[in-house]
Amino acid sequence: MANSQPIEWLGNKVKLLDQTRLPQEEVYLELTDYHDVASAIKEMKIRGAPAIGVAAAYGIALGVLKTSAKSKDEFLIKLKGITQAMAATRPTAQNLFRVINRMKQIAEAGEDVDEIRKALVSEAIKIHSEEAEATKKLAQFGAELIQNGFTILTHCNTGALATAGYGTALGVIKQAKEQGKNIRVFATETRPRLQGARLTAWELKRASIPFTLITDSMAGYFISRGKISCVIIGADRITSNGDTANKIGSYTLAVLAMEHGIPFYVAAPTTTIDLSLASGDDIPIEERSPQEVTHIQGVSIAPEGTQALNPAFDVTPHYYISAIITEKGIIKEPYIERLKKIA
Amino acid sequence: MANSQPIEWLGNKVKLLDQTRLPQEEVYLELTDYHDVASAIKEMKIRGAPAIGVAAAYGIALGVLKTSAKSKDEFLIKLKGITQAMAATRPTAQNLFRVINRMKQIAEAGEDVDEIRKALVSEAIKIHSEEAEATKKLAQFGAELIQNGFTILTHCNTGALATAGYGTALGVIKQAKEQGKNIRVFATETRPRLQGARLTAWELKRASIPFTLITDSMAGYFISRGKISCVIIGADRITSNGDTANKIGSYTLAVLAMEHGIPFYVAAPTTTIDLSLASGDDIPIEERSPQEVTHIQGVSIAPEGTQALNPAFDVTPHYYISAIITEKGIIKEPYIERLKKIA
């Protein structure tokens, strides 16, 4: 697959591929201010839970490089402001909060402010490479589940763009293809933000994997007609019992998969697991602007004054999930015992 | 509700509200050639199974008014060409084929060609008023199922626009509102053609019924959180066992409704019932242009060269359907016995 890295650290800037402009245009942004990184995450110029984590890490690095704080106390106060800005971007993605905690711990452990700055930059780079490595590994585990001849349904975008690495669900698919398996993908367009039509289609095309684009409403039709071998999605947060928050529409695909007896897989690095939450009921679900529903690519599709709701994620209870694919192996029920061991 | 009749017979022309331009513009077309009526049906300027039937009836009337045929044999040959053009528009809507058969029978029963012309025009007008009357009646039956305080999920558009009458699923909702019940609607946008966002929202707004627009992918979220009291949809064809073809995405809503124990209702006039088919497996499913998926309102959303599929309907097996609401009453299992009596 051609290089399509969504984020790069340039020493004193963050280079981002603006995903809101794909597939029409490949526009790169170079950001020097952490506020701009926070805005880019909020506006989904970079998105996907693992990639959000990496972007937040670099955003924090940018922020602390610019602080004039001389004492550690002063530095920690500045850092708090920076991490709060990052935390306020997308409430559902667990990877974001992991990164924030990790960066805070590094800062607290340090003594000299200049040393802490360097340590935080190094840590951000390390987080990026760990996430990339994790998706590469989980893709190898996951590809074992993909048989030659499979037609795989996936939702939203979970490739390099979403992970700053190899990809989660789409990484599994790419790995199966690289193993020489003859596979085909059905990609849902993923309203409202059309990550499937815009981003997954773009990545699949570049990877020369044959695919068919469908609307979200068509998944049931193709599953019921036996056209789909399995469903694979990514995750934004997995609680200790295996319940999984992912892009709105994922839950519906899980119900359809179970109704028709096909496997439903979740692929995510262990950084997506949140053992502090007992179940999916506790996951905060981001509510985005109704305008994303009433408008498509800026064009109004509904009568003026139409009210809409826009939950960005839903929760799939663990009993719909055939397996969770991580960089530490493939996890099955009982998730509550097995996730504890790897997270 | 303000008048929003999608079709009117003007004696020698058919006046159509161009539904592809709603809600932005209310544009009326006056058609004098049956080919234009066939194109308007194909291009979904008029849509919804009952309204398609009415449009085809008027299209046939227009066609025969213009034929110069003098003998009955010659007339029947011309009529065959006209009905073939109508039959080639939308293969799934049963109402269309009922109308064609009915018009053919009238023609065959007549003797004098001028008398047959007059009889066909009268029959088209009668079909229109029967469909309007049927939806008014079925709405009254259906409203009994709607309790005060209900939040009703509906899909696609099934109102006056879709029926050239009062509406099927949306007619039931309007009737419940007119009975003074405090209700709320969740309307799915209904990709790819956005009939929910464009047309149902337009009708609900005019009827002052409070509603929330959601993407198709959000239905599972709101149903799983207990926000929906029941689902009501229309139908394009109902087979003798109760299996129902309706707008793509309907089947998924039925599976979700059953998973969460809420009723799933189908509302349709008996003209939608096709006793000649044993089950939904036999219903021809219209495949529309992939461009409706890769583009929204003419704007490309996917990379160039993206392959897409676009089945316009899916089939909900009868065992997911809590009741079928018709102008002859509310039908429940065993559909196979009960539909036979009313169709």
Side-chain angles (χ1 to χ4, degrees):
Chain A
M1 179 175 185
N3 182 40
S4 55
Q5 284 309 317
I7 188 161
E8 212 178 323
W9 176 250
L10 301 181
N12 57 351
K13 318 188 251 208
V14 176
K15 188 175 166 188
L16 280 187
L17 174 56
D18 183 349
Q19 298 187 31
T20 62
R21 296 171 75 171
L22 287 174
Q24 286 81 9
E25 299 173 294
E26 282 183 45
V27 177
Y28 288 87
L29 310 173
E30 295 193 357
L31 309 180
T32 54
D33 190 315
Y34 78 88
H35 293 99
D36 294 336
V37 176
S39 297
I41 295 171
K42 210 177 240 174
E43 293 162 14
M44 299 174 69
K45 291 176 180 172
I46 185 157
R47 23 63 54 202
I52 289 170
V54 173
Y58 286 140
I60 294 168
L62 275 187
V64 298
L65 283 179
K66 276 207 179 169
T67 57
S68 56
K70 293 213 164 64
S71 74
K72 186 178 167 186
D73 282 354
E74 201 191 336
F75 184 89
L76 290 180
I77 289 166
K78 293 280 184 190
L79 179 65
K80 198 175 174 190
I82 297 166
T83 56
Q84 279 173 344
M86 293 300 157
T89 54
R90 308 279 316 266
T92 306
Q94 169 62 5
N95 312 56
L96 172 62
F97 301 99
R98 282 237 187 195
V99 161
I100 289 171
N101 286 337
R102 195 164 150 179
M103 297 294 264
K104 274 186 186 164
Q105 279 167 17
I106 294 288
E108 279 155 14
E111 306 230 331
D112 173 72
V113 168
D114 280 335
E115 289 303 315
I116 297 175
R117 280 194 189 90
K118 278 185 207 159
L120 286 173
V121 171
S122 299
E123 194 69 9
I125 293 168
K126 197 173 158 210
I127 285 168
H128 188 174
S129 85
E130 283 175 12
E131 280 290 38
E133 189 55 31
T135 59
K136 184 79 200 164
K137 270 194 195 147
L138 78 83
Q140 282 160 354
F141 283 117
E144 292 167 25
L145 299 169
I146 308 298
Q147 293 171 30
N148 191 43
F150 261 24
T151 298
I152 304 140
L153 177 69
T154 192
H155 188 54
C156 198
N157 172 265
T158 57
L161 291 172
T163 59
Y166 187 72
T168 56
L170 202 51
V172 170
I173 291 167
K174 278 157 56 185
Q175 183 61 35
K177 165 81 175 178
E178 282 170 22
Q179 290 172 353
K181 288 172 188 163
N182 176 26
I183 55 169
R184 165 165 277 280
V185 174
F186 270 60
T188 56
E189 64 175 4
T190 318
R191 274 279 286 148
R193 292 296 294 261
L194 298 168
Q195 293 94 330
R198 296 190 302 105
L199 309 178
T200 299
W202 188 75
E203 290 201 44
L204 286 168
K205 191 179 168 188
R206 288 163 70 115
S208 301
I209 298 172
F211 71 98
T212 303
L213 180 67
I214 59 172
T215 66
D216 302 305
S217 59
M218 291 173 190
Y221 176 87
F222 290 106
I223 292 173
S224 72
R225 300 206 161 203
K227 304 292 187 198
I228 307 296
S229 317
C230 69
V231 180
I232 312 184
I233 62 161
D236 288 78
R237 194 182 299 219
I238 300 170
T239 57
S240 53
N241 67 343
D243 290 356
T244 296
N246 191 52
K247 180 53 53 198
I248 190 78
S250 299
Y251 168 64
T252 294
L253 299 178
V255 172
L256 288 166
M258 181 166 281
E259 191 77 358
H260 292 281
I262 62 170
F264 182 86
Y265 299 123
V266 170
T270 53
T271 47
T272 308
I273 300 167
D274 180 1
L275 293 182
S276 78
L277 301 185
S279 83
D281 296 343
D282 305 326
I283 300 174
I285 299 294
E286 179 184 4
E287 284 276 350
R288 294 184 61 84
S289 165
Q291 193 158 333
E292 293 184 350
V293 174
T294 57
H295 292 64
I296 297 182
Q297 312 273 65
V299 179
S300 169
I301 56 163
E304 191 127 337
T306 293
Q307 286 192 10
L309 284 173
N310 188 13
F313 303 95
D314 58 25
V315 173
T316 300
H318 60 92
Y319 40 85
Y320 291 99
I321 300 170
S322 311
I324 299 175
I325 303 158
T326 77
E327 79 278 16
K328 294 184 183 165
I330 294 170
I331 310 299
K332 296 194 178 189
E333 292 273 20
Y335 294 116
I336 202 155
E337 289 170 23
R338 294 179 176 174
L339 288 174
K340 214 182 297 177
K341 288 181 192 153
I342 61 156
Chain B
M1 181 172 183
N3 182 40
S4 54
Q5 283 309 317
I7 188 162
E8 211 179 324
W9 176 249
L10 301 182
N12 57 352
K13 314 187 254 206
V14 175
K15 187 175 167 189
L16 280 186
L17 173 57
D18 183 350
Q19 298 187 30
T20 62
R21 296 171 76 171
L22 286 173
Q24 286 81 7
E25 298 174 295
E26 280 183 48
V27 177
Y28 288 87
L29 310 172
E30 295 194 356
L31 309 180
T32 55
D33 190 315
Y34 78 87
H35 293 100
D36 294 335
V37 176
S39 297
I41 296 172
K42 211 177 239 174
E43 294 161 14
M44 300 174 69
K45 290 176 181 172
I46 186 158
R47 24 66 49 204
I52 289 170
V54 173
Y58 286 140
I60 294 167
L62 275 187
V64 299
L65 283 179
K66 276 207 180 168
T67 58
S68 55
K70 293 216 168 56
S71 72
K72 186 177 167 185
D73 282 355
E74 203 191 333
F75 184 90
L76 290 180
I77 289 167
K78 293 280 185 191
L79 179 65
K80 196 174 174 188
I82 297 166
T83 56
Q84 280 173 344
M86 293 300 157
T89 54
R90 308 279 317 265
T92 306
Q94 168 63 4
N95 312 56
L96 173 63
F97 301 99
R98 281 236 188 194
V99 161
I100 289 171
N101 286 336
R102 196 164 149 177
M103 295 294 264
K104 275 186 184 162
Q105 280 168 17
I106 294 288
E108 280 155 13
E111 305 233 329
D112 175 70
V113 168
D114 279 336
E115 290 302 317
I116 297 177
R117 279 195 189 89
K118 278 184 208 159
L120 286 173
V121 171
S122 301
E123 194 70 8
I125 293 167
K126 198 172 156 211
I127 285 167
H128 189 175
S129 84
E130 283 175 12
E131 281 290 38
E133 191 54 31
T135 59
K136 184 78 199 164
K137 271 194 194 145
L138 78 81
Q140 280 158 357
F141 283 118
E144 293 167 24
L145 299 169
I146 308 299
Q147 293 170 31
N148 191 41
F150 262 26
T151 298
I152 304 142
L153 177 70
T154 191
H155 187 54
C156 199
N157 173 266
T158 57
L161 292 170
T163 59
Y166 188 72
T168 55
L170 202 51
V172 170
I173 291 167
K174 277 158 54 187
Q175 184 60 36
K177 165 81 176 177
E178 282 170 22
Q179 290 173 354
K181 289 172 186 162
N182 175 26
I183 55 169
R184 164 165 278 279
V185 174
F186 270 62
T188 58
E189 63 175 5
T190 318
R191 276 278 288 148
R193 291 297 291 263
L194 298 169
Q195 294 94 330
R198 295 191 301 105
L199 309 178
T200 299
W202 188 75
E203 291 200 45
L204 286 168
K205 192 181 168 186
R206 287 162 68 115
S208 301
I209 297 172
F211 70 98
T212 303
L213 181 67
I214 60 171
T215 66
D216 303 305
S217 59
M218 291 172 191
Y221 176 86
F222 290 106
I223 292 174
S224 72
R225 299 204 163 206
K227 304 292 187 198
I228 307 296
S229 318
C230 69
V231 181
I232 312 184
I233 61 161
D236 288 77
R237 195 182 298 219
I238 299 169
T239 58
S240 53
N241 67 344
D243 291 357
T244 295
N246 190 53
K247 180 55 52 199
I248 191 75
S250 299
Y251 168 64
T252 294
L253 299 179
V255 172
L256 288 167
M258 180 165 281
E259 191 77 358
H260 292 281
I262 61 170
F264 182 86
Y265 300 121
V266 170
T270 53
T271 47
T272 308
I273 300 167
D274 181 1
L275 293 182
S276 78
L277 300 186
S279 82
D281 295 343
D282 305 326
I283 300 174
I285 298 296
E286 179 183 5
E287 283 275 351
R288 295 185 61 84
S289 164
Q291 195 159 329
E292 294 183 349
V293 175
T294 56
H295 292 64
I296 297 181
Q297 312 273 64
V299 178
S300 169
I301 56 163
E304 190 125 341
T306 292
Q307 286 192 11
L309 284 173
N310 188 12
F313 303 95
D314 58 26
V315 173
T316 300
H318 60 92
Y319 40 85
Y320 291 99
I321 300 170
S322 312
I324 299 175
I325 303 158
T326 78
E327 78 279 15
K328 295 184 183 163
I330 294 170
I331 310 300
K332 296 194 178 188
E333 293 272 21
Y335 294 116
I336 201 153
E337 289 170 22
R338 295 181 174 171
L339 288 174
K340 213 182 295 175
K341 289 181 192 152
I342 61 157

